[in-house]
Amino acid sequence: MRHVYLVRHASPTIQPNVPAEEWTLSERGIEESRALARISVGWNLAAVYSSVEPKAQATALVIGDAAGQPVRVVEGFQELRFDRWIPNADEFAAMIRGIFRQPSASVHGAERADAAAARFDAAVRIVEEGPFPAAVVSHGRVITAYLSQIQEVDEPFDLWRSIPMPGWACLDLDASKLIAPFQGLPEGA
């Protein structure tokens, strides 16, 4: 079986005047990455891949160090893009809901969910070359778009909301199905 751990990066430093794709991990995110790395040792990773974004790369590097594996940065695993920062949580959630409800439309100038999913799927082709098990450190919206494309997802918005930061799930690439649901760090980790 070809198992891939889909990992949502740890907590970034939110910088409204900086594009989100340039955000780095916060101090909390660094600690979360270390806790996640301790957990990931049990995954026996043979490969670690990352989005091009700094917050994902930093998370992946900590996991890779724990696994004794280099991190391979892959174009295509980056987050589903917006054209602007939305500070209001309710407006942000409404936009995300709209993106997932209309995957073939550009909602408020955002990247289409189906285009983000196709981009992610193309990047997964690199992972399919092996070895396994592998980890892909990426982002919540694009992981949700991808999973919605490859398997039945009742409500993508609810899936997105359920992915902790950091969070992970195990995907069976052969069956194109999650074999373990998303989970986050245990309390106090």
Side-chain angles (χ1 to χ4, degrees):
M1 283 198 218
R2 299 181 304 161
H3 290 170
V4 175
Y5 289 87
L6 297 175
V7 180
R8 183 180 189 187
H9 63 81
S11 298
T13 298
I14 295 174
Q15 304 168 62
N17 297 326
V18 174
E21 61 268 18
E22 295 176 19
W23 292 355
T24 58
L25 289 183
S26 64
E27 289 299 319
R28 175 182 173 184
I30 293 167
E31 291 306 314
E32 291 169 344
S33 294
R34 291 177 180 148
L36 178 55
R38 289 189 292 274
I39 292 167
S40 72
V41 168
W43 302 345
N44 299 313
L45 295 172
V48 179
Y49 302 87
S50 175
S51 155
V52 299
E53 296 185 32
K55 57 190 170 271
Q57 286 186 48
T59 303
L61 285 169
V62 176
I63 292 169
D65 284 347
Q69 298 294 334
V71 174
R72 186 168 175 191
V73 176
V74 178
E75 186 74 35
F77 289 137
Q78 63 269 28
E79 183 61 288
L80 188 151
R81 295 280 179 248
F82 297 156
D83 62 352
R84 62 188 171 94
W85 166 251
I86 303 170
N88 180 286
D90 292 333
E91 288 177 34
F92 182 77
M95 183 169 159
I96 301 298
R97 187 181 302 276
I99 289 168
F100 291 136
R101 283 200 174 141
Q102 301 175 64
S104 61
S106 176
V107 177
H108 299 291
E111 179 181 18
R112 296 185 345 253
D114 63 354
R119 169 173 51 78
F120 194 97
D121 187 58
V124 167
R125 301 289 173 240
I126 294 167
V127 176
E128 287 178 342
E129 297 171 7
F132 296 96
V136 171
V137 182
S138 187
H139 311 271
R141 295 186 304 268
V142 73
I143 289 172
T144 300
Y146 169 70
L147 290 173
S148 297
Q149 176 181 303
I150 67 165
Q151 67 178 30
E152 183 69 31
V153 174
D154 292 332
E155 179 54 60
F157 178 80
D158 292 341
L159 172 62
W160 170 72
R161 295 281 290 226
S162 75
I163 304 173
M165 187 183 301
W168 66 93
C170 188
L171 175 72
D172 178 347
L173 273 180
D174 298 315
S176 295
K177 184 171 177 136
L178 289 181
I179 57 174
F182 280 96
Q183 55 189 300
L185 297 173
E187 288 291 320

